[in-house]
Amino acid sequence: MNRNLVFKTLAFSLSTMLLVSCSRNGKDYKNSSRATGWSINDKDGGFQANTDYKEQEAAPGLIFIEGGTFTMGRVQDDVMHDWNNTPTQQHVQSFYMDETEVTNLMYLEYLDYLKKVFPPEEANYRNIYYGALPDTLVWRNRLGFNETMTENYLRHPAYARYPVVGVSWIQAVEFSTWRTNRYNEYVLEEEGYTQKDAKYNVDAQSTFDTDTYLQAPSLTYGGQDDVIRGGRSSVQREKNNTPRANPNNPGGNPEAKDIYVQMKDGIISTTKYRLPTEAEWEYAALGLVGLREYNVYRGRKKYPWDGAYTRSGNRKTRGDQLANFKQGDGDYGGIAGWSDDNADITAEIKSYAPNDHGLYDMAGNVSEWVADVYRPIVDDEFNDFNYYRGNVYTKNAINEDGTVKVLTTEDIIYDTLQNGKIVARNLPGEILQVPVDDEETYLRTQFSDSDNRNFRDGDKQSSRYYQSFSDTDSESDRMYDSPINRISAGEDGLNKEYDKANDRTTLIDDEVRVYKGGSWRDREYWLDPAQRRYLPQTMATDDIGFRNAMSRVGSKSTKNKTPRN
């Protein structure tokens, strides 16, 4: 036999074996399992998974903030001499943040929804709507004429694009939850999983909740048979007369029942609108990304913009104010004309240039609530990754039959806050949450309690092995000697007991939250993103608003990268 022919035959055989081996060993595992070699998304059955998922899309109003390391708490001045900030190096994961503050128009949409779904005319729902109303009386001043804002600022269309104020921290959190559910409701309709415009016909008995839909879809709007039946097929017929491929219905039957989106499908957002943490807010406000790209930091970053001055140095806009703040006693906007900052109270969103992340009004206009419980010191010795103080861990309540407990209209519980405002602790359609217990904390090293707001405060209760020998924690167990105001229901209404003790020394407790950024009422000192202040979470002012954030899942960066098999 020809030797060359033998070598060619052997070479062909080896190459064939290598190709088969590579195929079996999975150079491309897109539609086969790296664990077992079995097919994935086979029409005849088997494991179903979304193998075409690219990356998380930015939800409405949000822009991407790539995470990184920064020095948190680097204040340039300390004229207040409160020393509540010590520079610490922190790392923040990538996340999304609202481009602007939440506006009056956005908040009015929330109020309109509550009023339609939970009519305040019905006694059982009345405080759901009234508990969400901003406090418009925050504009009043005993020696100032501000009734124009009191009567018009929230609802008049002239202020529609102005940041909402008079909202407490608790109300901001509730708005964030509502926004998450309405966005996912919209996505389900757009993807053809629910009937078109069905979201306009819901009532208190059939509201949509994201967690409930993922855990027990048949118990919430979007998973109920009367909404699903004909929903997906009719929507798809309107679009293109053919049903879209459905990961939960690989056969493509448009009349199939129980077609529910699951977390593994990556269709609805499992990360939620929320308040940003203090570390996230400060990192986003600094906008270091532009300086890092050109390697020209050199300590010039005092404000969200580049430089140490509040006026523009650019040729076209030289002398213009870069934020809405109080320039001096009695000077809220400057002299009318060239030096005016075009605002005396709040300003319309996007009135000033954004920072390098594309975020508007991270200095001035209104201060903003963040998620953290306030403490004078950021404990970087315990954690320097995604720092946050305020974790209260809960779990789903489980019925005797093993299903999650979904709340009904009869299960609504109202809380009376210390300021007398009544708010709903939960809403129909939500899964009841209960504190974690020993079943979750036994032999764990990361956490030992459900409530971690006062962890490592220095008080006795912060000790891992602290044990109280009284039925209720005595006042002496508290580290911070803050006032204790009590409110209770009586025959003639609410009985308010004000703390009249003369030995109270602080307002700090577990119900006090951080707010960041300067406002239209503040001097330029507070425009430094590192500055921090605090206020009880039940209170509201005319210069504090908020914006939402959302965690990012998956890669740290949005830059396109070639995936590896």
Side-chain angles (χ1 to χ4, degrees):
M1 181 180 292
N2 189 319
R3 181 177 297 178
N4 290 335
L5 180 60
V6 172
F7 285 144
K8 289 180 180 179
T9 303
L10 289 172
F12 176 78
S13 300
L14 287 171
S15 62
T16 303
M17 292 173 62
L18 286 173
L19 286 173
V20 173
S21 175
C22 289
S23 176
R24 287 178 178 173
N25 290 335
K27 283 295 185 180
D28 181 5
Y29 285 103
K30 181 177 181 181
N31 292 310
S32 60
S33 168
R34 191 182 295 270
T36 63
W38 290 18
S39 296
I40 295 178
N41 297 327
D42 196 325
K43 292 183 179 180
D44 296 328
F47 179 64
Q48 304 296 315
N50 183 357
T51 57
D52 292 322
Y53 184 80
K54 302 302 181 184
E55 67 174 7
Q56 181 178 353
E57 296 181 4
L62 304 180
I63 61 174
F64 176 70
I65 309 294
E66 183 174 347
T69 301
F70 78 113
T71 302
M72 182 177 177
R74 187 199 295 271
V75 293
Q76 302 292 322
D77 304 293
D78 189 27
V79 299
M80 303 299 291
H81 299 292
D82 50 6
W83 299 105
N84 71 346
N85 244 337
T86 301
T88 64
Q89 183 164 289
Q90 297 285 340
H91 186 90
V92 175
Q93 280 188 292
S94 298
F95 62 102
Y96 297 86
M97 181 175 271
D98 263 332
E99 187 180 24
T100 70
E101 300 110 339
V102 171
T103 64
N104 285 318
L105 186 63
M106 295 167 67
Y107 204 88
L108 285 174
E109 184 182 8
Y110 168 51
L111 295 177
D112 179 72
Y113 177 90
L114 294 181
K115 196 169 187 178
K116 290 177 178 177
V117 177
F118 305 103
E121 297 81 15
E122 299 185 29
N124 192 37
Y125 303 145
R126 184 169 302 141
N127 287 311
I128 294 178
Y129 175 75
Y130 290 125
L133 286 173
D135 183 3
T136 58
L137 301 185
V138 294
W139 289 105
R140 284 182 170 168
N141 187 306
R142 284 168 289 193
L143 293 178
F145 178 70
N146 296 331
E147 290 305 291
T148 301
M149 280 80 78
T150 300
E151 298 170 357
N152 295 281
Y153 184 81
L154 175 63
R155 299 185 183 275
H156 197 286
Y159 295 109
R161 287 171 51 85
Y162 283 58
V164 67
V165 297
V167 175
S168 68
W169 183 91
I170 290 177
Q171 290 174 316
V173 170
E174 291 302 315
F175 171 88
S176 307
T177 301
W178 168 85
R179 188 178 179 186
T180 299
N181 292 332
R182 301 293 74 74
Y183 169 58
N184 284 325
E185 201 172 12
Y186 161 80
V187 171
L188 286 176
E189 180 182 303
E190 287 295 299
E191 293 294 325
Y193 284 89
T194 58
Q195 290 178 344
K196 184 176 177 60
D197 295 333
K199 60 182 180 290
Y200 296 120
N201 300 317
V202 298
D203 55 27
Q205 302 283 351
S206 59
T207 55
F208 176 87
D209 180 79
T210 302
D211 290 333
T212 306
Y213 180 85
L214 292 173
Q215 299 281 342
S218 62
L219 300 180
T220 185
Y221 157 69
Q224 294 164 342
D225 289 343
D226 57 343
V227 180
I228 285 292
R229 188 176 297 124
R232 183 172 179 77
S233 57
S234 63
V235 171
Q236 293 304 334
R237 291 192 190 101
E238 288 181 14
K239 290 182 177 179
N240 54 16
N241 293 323
T242 56
R244 190 180 307 173
N246 180 358
N248 299 321
N249 180 26
N253 177 13
E255 302 300 334
K257 292 179 63 176
D258 300 332
I259 303 176
Y260 304 138
V261 174
Q262 301 176 34
M263 184 185 297
K264 67 178 182 179
D265 301 325
I267 292 176
I268 63 175
S269 178
T270 53
T271 57
K272 303 172 182 178
Y273 285 99
R274 56 176 174 78
L275 292 180
T277 67
E278 182 179 4
E280 287 175 335
W281 193 98
E282 188 172 328
Y283 175 82
L286 281 171
L288 296 174
V289 60
L291 296 178
R292 286 180 175 178
E293 288 177 356
Y294 302 104
N295 195 26
V296 290
Y297 177 64
R298 295 197 294 270
R300 297 188 297 129
K301 198 69 170 175
K302 181 177 181 180
Y303 300 114
W305 53 85
D306 188 16
Y309 303 98
T310 62
R311 292 185 181 273
S312 172
N314 294 332
R315 179 175 298 180
K316 292 183 179 180
T317 59
R318 184 166 294 165
D320 288 354
Q321 289 288 2
L322 296 173
N324 173 23
F325 66 101
K326 183 178 180 180
Q327 300 174 37
D329 288 343
D331 187 355
Y332 288 87
I335 300 174
W338 170 77
S339 65
D340 191 5
D341 65 10
N342 294 316
D344 39 29
I345 55 168
T346 56
E348 184 175 334
I349 57 172
K350 295 189 176 183
S351 294
Y352 304 89
N355 70 358
D356 287 335
H357 283 304
L359 301 173
Y360 291 86
D361 293 321
M362 295 301 283
N365 216 16
V366 292
S367 302
E368 298 177 17
W369 288 114
V370 297
D372 293 59
V373 169
Y374 176 81
R375 290 294 185 268
I377 297 176
V378 171
D379 188 0
D380 66 315
E381 292 183 359
F382 186 80
N383 182 43
D384 56 7
F385 181 78
N386 284 347
Y387 186 87
Y388 167 63
R389 177 179 288 279
N391 282 311
V392 179
Y393 300 123
T394 60
K395 62 179 181 179
N396 296 336
I398 306 298
N399 295 316
E400 293 182 358
D401 60 358
T403 60
V404 293
K405 180 174 177 54
V406 179
L407 300 170
T408 65
T409 54
E410 289 74 28
D411 297 320
I412 303 175
I413 298 176
Y414 293 97
D415 289 329
T416 303
L417 308 180
Q418 287 190 358
N419 60 0
K421 202 173 188 71
I422 300 175
V423 297
R425 184 188 305 175
N426 47 50
L427 293 178
E430 297 178 350
I431 299 176
L432 177 63
Q433 297 296 301
V434 295
V436 298
D437 52 27
D438 291 342
E439 293 182 5
E440 287 75 29
T441 62
Y442 179 65
L443 291 183
R444 287 190 181 274
T445 57
Q446 314 101 302
F447 66 99
S448 57
D449 296 293
S450 174
D451 189 345
N452 296 273
R453 290 176 296 178
N454 65 355
F455 179 66
R456 282 173 63 94
D457 265 351
D459 59 345
K460 289 181 292 185
Q461 293 183 7
S462 299
S463 171
R464 181 178 179 85
Y465 300 106
Y466 171 80
Q467 181 178 2
S468 176
F469 294 98
S470 59
D471 294 335
T472 58
D473 292 335
S474 65
E475 186 176 334
S476 61
D477 288 334
R478 300 191 307 147
M479 179 179 180
Y480 296 100
D481 189 29
S482 56
I484 301 177
N485 300 309
R486 294 181 174 87
I487 190 166
S488 59
E491 295 180 357
D492 300 327
L494 295 177
N495 297 322
K496 301 177 181 178
E497 300 178 28
Y498 297 98
D499 191 329
K500 299 180 180 180
N502 296 321
D503 56 353
R504 301 304 185 198
T505 58
T506 182
L507 292 176
I508 300 174
D509 61 27
D510 290 344
E511 311 295 326
V512 166
R513 302 287 172 167
V514 178
Y515 67 95
K516 302 278 283 184
S519 73
W520 63 273
R521 277 190 178 278
D522 295 314
R523 302 289 186 93
E524 64 181 271
Y525 163 72
W526 293 108
L527 302 184
D528 185 339
Q531 298 290 355
R532 55 203 302 260
R533 289 174 284 182
Y534 62 94
L535 197 71
Q537 64 186 23
T538 59
M539 294 183 66
T541 71
D542 61 358
D543 60 348
I544 299 180
F546 69 101
R547 72 179 73 208
N548 284 144
M550 181 181 288
S551 300
R552 176 173 171 82
V553 294
S555 63
K556 177 178 181 290
S557 173
T558 59
K559 298 177 182 178
N560 293 327
K561 297 179 180 179
T562 303
R564 298 178 180 179
N565 295 324

